[in-house]
Amino acid sequence: MKLKFPILQQSDSMDCGPTCLQMVSRYYGRNYSLKTLRERCNIARSGVSLLGISEAAESIGFRTMGVKVEFNKLVGNDSPLPLIAHWNQEHFIVVYAIKNDKVSVADPAHGKMVYSKEEFIRCWASTINGEEPEGICLLLEPTPDFFNQEDEKPDRSGFSFLFRYLRPHKKFIFQLVLGLLLGSLLQLAFPFLTQAVVDVGINTRNLNFIWLVLIAQLILFVSRMSVEFIRSWILLHVSTRINISLISDFLIKLMRLPIRFFDTKMTGDIIQRIEDHGRIENFLTGQTLNVLFSMVNILLFGAVLAWYNLQIFLVFVFGSLLYFVWVWMFMKRRRTIDHKRFAQMSSEQSNLIQMIMGMQEIKLNNCEKQKRWEWERIQTRLFRVNVQSLSLNQYQQLGGLFFNETKNIVITVLAATAVVHGNMTLGMMLSVQYILGQLNSPIDQMINFAHAAQDAKISLERLGEIHNSEDEEPDVDRLKELPEKAGLNIENVSFRYEGPTRQKCLILLLFVFHPIKLLLLLAPVEVAKPPLLKCCLGFTLQLKAK
């Protein structure tokens, strides 16, 4: 039986290689976290190499071979699928199916894609051997060791991690829920008052009764607005505290991470993760309470609508279900676009920070135009992502509007028919229209809640990478102070930069006289001194010494 290939999205702009390996591993039935694969790929701030991916794949039980082949060699049994291909000389993708000159690709940045033979070769081929273009691929085949290794269980903490931030505010949450219930009960009286105005006041021509009902409606309206006013202040208080707690905990965790973690991260990736907290705070405080209010309204007004006319109620339920199904069809595509936007926004943040902080070097090297053009290219890619997002929202809104308005028209026809046949009074028909308006708004709020929940889940996945990372090793065994009349002598210090092909650098001698007046550091010219000092201070593990 042919297995369905899993499609995963890269978390950061430099995670295409580890994400490709993660997809291939999951295809063969083994789950590995992105953190594990990053470490085994020797990822750096500039990304990973094909050699790094190959070494990581062999460490988890794959047999690999890097090849430069023609496209025809990928078809048939010459090259086992799935394989990892080098794309546009700067990216990695997974090719998992080739059929009828159509290439099915799992792109960590763009999701599932299908290319024609010509389109694939144009982006994949790097050289031309004779008349046939050739491209670079990494062939992977699982060995028995791959299936014998222990599987890593994916992190499924989900929203349980978030709701603990609501516990300190139980008193305010109770007040908000009480206000929502009170507001719903006040709204419930309006359809009955509307029916009474028409069926009793107008039919009997009793102006005093009409004025009495209108005054009652005015009092209920003022009461409901007062409840909403108080609820807004409480919500502002709770949301501000939760947002501060979320970002504060994130910064605390960020400061506990080892320095080598930041050597592989772009500044824009971290800044975008901080901005993700806004979406989580909106989901916790705004959308969650709104959907609670919506569900209460749906239950109350739905029961009243079913009591008025069961047929109209069933039409409303069926139309609403079609609306939900239509919106749900776009959720997967919406998730893919969100990952694209995160990658481009991260690149923009990193580019701006690099441009501002390195303005002196930019001017000294006379590359102002090049850096500005680089920023403009990022804006062009971001514009394309925004166009895709707008197009998706328009299709979603168009279908939702069609189902919603068709449902309203059918209900109006059914209500008017019931009035003509004497099964419903004119006041009941007006009440049904009012109830319909009150039910349509909660349906839209539940759709917004589904979008907010998806955004929060995506943000949680990105933040989980930070929160699940191991803290910096405790420095209990480090020597913090030199004893009196003692010196420090370190010999044969060796250091290796990040990367699978980096050679060890040898420092002949590093010693300190006591009292500390002289620090002598002897090293080859090509070796940077700051990384070596970080090694001696214990901030990196790429150090061996006597």
Side-chain angles (χ1 to χ4, degrees), residues 21 25 32 37 40-41 50-66 84 138-147 149:
L21 187 55
S25 301
Y32 288 95
L37 297 178
R40 300 195 181 195
C41 286
L50 196 69
L51 178 60
I53 300 175
S54 174
E55 292 189 352
E58 292 184 354
S59 69
I60 61 176
F62 280 105
R63 185 183 298 111
T64 66
M65 178 184 295
I84 298 177
L138 181 67
L139 308 181
L140 303 102
E141 185 178 4
T143 64
D145 291 339
F146 174 81
F147 300 101
Q149 295 203 27

Side-chain angles (χ1 to χ4, degrees), residues 6 25 101 104 110 131 143 148 214 232 255 361 383 389 473:
S25 301
D101 287 340
S104 298
H110 301 95
E131 296 181 357
T143 64
N148 293 332
L214 292 178
S232 299
M255 294 176 183
E361 287 77 9
F383 172 75
S389 178
E473 294 183 359

Side-chain angles (χ1 to χ4, degrees), residues 269-458:
D269 291 336
I270 298 177
I271 293 178
Q272 282 300 117
R273 280 174 168 80
I274 294 177
E275 294 182 359
D276 275 345
H277 287 87
R279 304 203 305 186
I280 296 176
E281 180 264 331
N282 176 58
F283 169 75
L284 277 180
T285 58
Q287 296 297 331
T288 303
L289 295 176
N290 285 337
V291 78
L292 177 63
F293 177 68
S294 301
M295 293 180 66
V296 171
N297 280 350
I298 288 175
L299 292 176
L300 293 178
F301 286 103
V304 175
L305 183 62
W307 179 72
Y308 274 141
N309 192 300
L310 184 60
Q311 185 181 12
I312 292 177
F313 173 74
L314 293 177
V315 170
F316 172 81
V317 172
F318 181 72
S320 300
L321 287 177
L322 289 178
Y323 187 13
F324 279 115
V325 171
W326 175 260
V327 172
W328 191 262
M329 291 171 57
F330 293 89
M331 296 296 279
K332 187 175 182 180
R333 178 62 179 165
R334 189 173 179 273
R335 178 187 179 90
T336 301
I337 292 177
D338 186 87
H339 280 286
K340 291 182 182 179
R341 183 184 290 109
F342 178 86
Q344 297 305 324
M345 292 294 293
S346 172
S347 298
E348 181 192 32
Q349 295 274 7
S350 298
N351 184 269
L352 282 176
I353 293 174
Q354 183 184 20
M355 191 185 304
I356 294 172
M357 299 300 293
M359 189 59 68
Q360 293 179 343
E361 287 77 9
I362 292 174
K363 296 182 74 65
L364 288 174
N365 290 280
N366 194 26
C367 58
E368 295 94 332
K369 288 186 178 181
Q370 288 84 346
K371 300 303 293 185
R372 177 172 58 84
W373 290 341
E374 182 180 350
W375 178 84
E376 290 176 352
R377 285 193 292 268
I378 295 175
Q379 294 301 311
T380 301
R381 294 194 294 267
L382 185 59
F383 172 75
R384 292 172 183 169
V385 173
N386 290 333
V387 168
Q388 294 177 2
S389 178
L390 178 62
S391 177
L392 181 72
N393 290 332
Q394 286 179 338
Y395 280 117
Q396 182 176 295
Q397 291 173 2
L398 181 63
L401 184 63
F402 171 77
F403 290 119
N404 205 31
E405 292 302 319
T406 303
K407 173 194 66 180
N408 294 340
I409 293 173
V410 172
I411 290 177
T412 301
V413 172
L414 292 175
T417 304
V419 172
V420 172
H421 292 163
N423 298 326
M424 184 182 292
T425 65
L426 184 60
M428 293 175 66
M429 178 180 174
L430 294 178
S431 297
V432 167
Q433 294 297 322
Y434 176 84
I435 292 173
L436 195 62
Q438 295 299 315
L439 287 174
N440 285 333
S441 179
I443 293 297
D444 291 335
Q445 289 179 353
M446 293 185 72
I447 296 297
N448 293 333
F449 173 78
H451 290 163
Q454 186 186 43
D455 293 340
K457 190 175 188 313
I458 296 172

Side-chain angles (χ1 to χ4, degrees), residues 11-74:
S11 301
D12 293 335
S13 55
M14 300 301 174
D15 282 344
C16 56
T19 306
C20 287
L21 187 55
Q22 188 182 31
M23 287 190 281
V24 176
S25 301
R26 190 167 297 185
Y27 173 77
Y28 286 111
R30 287 292 180 269
N31 288 312
Y32 288 95
S33 67
L34 206 57
K35 175 179 175 294
T36 300
L37 297 178
R38 279 199 199 100
E39 293 175 352
R40 300 195 181 195
C41 286
N42 292 303
I43 191 170
R45 187 169 294 184
S46 57
V48 296
S49 64
L50 196 69
L51 178 60
I53 300 175
S54 174
E55 292 189 352
E58 292 184 354
S59 69
I60 61 176
F62 280 105
R63 185 183 298 111
T64 66
M65 178 184 295
V67 296
K68 180 184 286 188
V69 294
E70 303 171 1
F71 178 81
N72 294 331
K73 296 292 184 180
L74 302 181

